[in-house]
Amino acid sequence: MRQKIVAGNWKMNLIKEEAQSLTAEIVGMSNDELGTNQNGVKLILCPSFVHISTIKSLFKNVKNVHLGAQNVASQAEGAYTGEVSAEMLVSYQVEYVIIGHSERRQYFKETNQEIAQKIDLIFGNGMLPIFCCGETLELREEGNHIEFIKNQISESLFHLPASKFEKVVIAYEPIWAIGTGKTASSEQAQEIHAAIREHIASKYGQEIADKTPILYGGSCKPSNAKELFACADVDGGLIGGAALKSRDFIEIAKSF
Ligand code: PGA
């Protein structure tokens, strides 16, 4: 059985007190209330860098809630003003790093090659990547979206040995669905998730492909999570806007 995951990508939202109360509301719930006992879902909270230490301190004795970051530098250390290294993140017990988010690709011009370097630093420091891929509306309309997504995956991840690749979490996030209120239909999501799994199988074999969690992201909310998570190849969600309200986030986590 594949690990089910619901990860909250808080993006550049919430001041300290807001981040603290959102976290407290989530970690203050029992595993029964979170639904993690019933469906085995793993929750990951990905606050902004500045909140990581505060959020981690609220995690005491909480099972099934994990800490993630939203980015990491592509260099190990040194004169890179404003950047945060993988080694720094792991020193705060960060376990996961969202990598290659479309907003990073679009606004900060991250390339597949740079993302590959970040992936190596994430693994090199004992953390795990949540690797994002996804197409623009234009690419979808041209019919080139599946090739585009496969290429994102090949160029950033396929240099990994199987022993590392089998720990990768993938998030398929169609850019046209992120923050727009437009969600991919469950058929559209399933089609791409299945294509991604097939692509992984062609490189690493069916067993590893069958083990890789593939999350859906893009306007996922309590009202559509059930239908999306019911798809055979959808193993959870990377949640933006709806992760900023504990009630919505938990309801999504209970949608399996
Ligand atoms: P959204 O964002 O849920 O607000 O669409 C998802 C994401 O960008 O990870």
Side-chain angles (χ1 to χ4, degrees):
M1 257 243 305
R2 280 191 290 276
Q3 177 65 57
K4 294 170 181 149
I5 296 173
V6 172
N9 174 11
W10 295 358
K11 307 194 180 183
M12 197 174 73
N13 293 298
L14 309 177
I15 60 166
K16 183 180 177 189
E17 291 74 19
E18 292 166 337
Q20 281 173 318
S21 47
L22 176 57
T23 307
E25 282 160 26
I26 294 167
V27 300
M29 292 189 194
S30 69
N31 284 329
D32 273 342
E33 286 168 316
L34 290 172
T36 52
N37 270 353
Q38 296 86 330
N39 61 24
V41 62
K42 183 185 266 192
L43 303 182
I44 306 172
L45 306 185
C46 305
S48 128
F49 289 138
V50 290
H51 298 323
I52 280 174
S53 164
T54 314
I55 300 308
K56 183 67 193 173
S57 70
L58 298 171
F59 271 27
K60 288 185 199 89
N61 302 321
V62 178
K63 285 190 197 131
N64 296 326
V65 187
H66 300 259
L67 183 61
Q70 298 173 18
N71 183 29
V72 67
S74 58
Q75 306 295 330
E77 64 177 343
Y80 299 97
T81 302
E83 290 292 279
V84 174
S85 74
E87 197 179 9
M88 291 173 192
L89 292 179
V90 82
S91 74
Y92 285 94
Q93 288 95 46
V94 169
E95 295 169 81
Y96 291 88
V97 184
I98 297 173
I99 211 75
H101 191 281
S102 62
E103 288 151 14
R104 301 283 329 160
R105 295 175 189 264
Q106 184 184 348
Y107 304 131
F108 304 96
K109 309 288 171 245
E110 282 189 13
T111 62
N112 291 341
Q113 288 67 30
E114 192 181 356
I115 293 163
Q117 288 174 14
K118 294 185 178 197
I119 297 271
D120 289 341
L121 286 164
I122 292 168
F123 274 118
N125 284 279
M127 298 181 289
L128 300 175
I130 301 174
F131 171 81
C132 303
C133 55
E135 81 285 3
T136 58
L137 188 57
E138 198 184 353
L139 278 163
R140 177 170 276 270
E141 283 171 352
E142 288 165 6
N144 295 327
H145 53 301
I146 296 185
E147 276 319 301
F148 177 80
I149 293 162
K150 283 187 188 171
N151 188 54
Q152 287 182 318
I153 294 172
S154 308
E155 289 194 352
S156 296
L157 293 173
F158 278 7
H159 65 288
L160 293 170
S163 59
K164 288 207 170 103
F165 186 91
E166 66 181 4
K167 299 187 176 120
V168 169
V169 177
I170 292 186
Y172 165 58
E173 300 202 305
I175 296 170
W176 47 273
I178 295 176
T180 57
K182 271 192 218 148
T183 318
S185 67
S186 50
E187 292 77 18
Q188 286 171 322
Q190 171 56 28
E191 183 197 14
I192 306 295
H193 283 231
I196 291 173
R197 205 175 298 289
E198 215 177 281
H199 189 49
I200 297 169
S202 74
K203 169 79 178 169
Y204 293 102
Q206 197 61 47
E207 197 179 321
I208 288 184
D210 284 341
K211 273 193 351 197
T212 306
I214 307 177
L215 316 182
Y216 169 80
S219 300
C220 186
K221 44 190 180 258
S223 58
N224 58 27
K226 244 193 192 78
E227 199 185 328
L228 287 160
F229 295 177
C231 298
D233 287 293
V234 177
D235 306 308
L238 180 55
I239 318 299
L244 299 174
K245 288 193 189 118
S246 60
R247 203 152 32 93
D248 287 354
F249 185 63
I250 299 307
E251 214 176 310
I252 291 170
K254 288 172 139 175
S255 296
F256 289 99

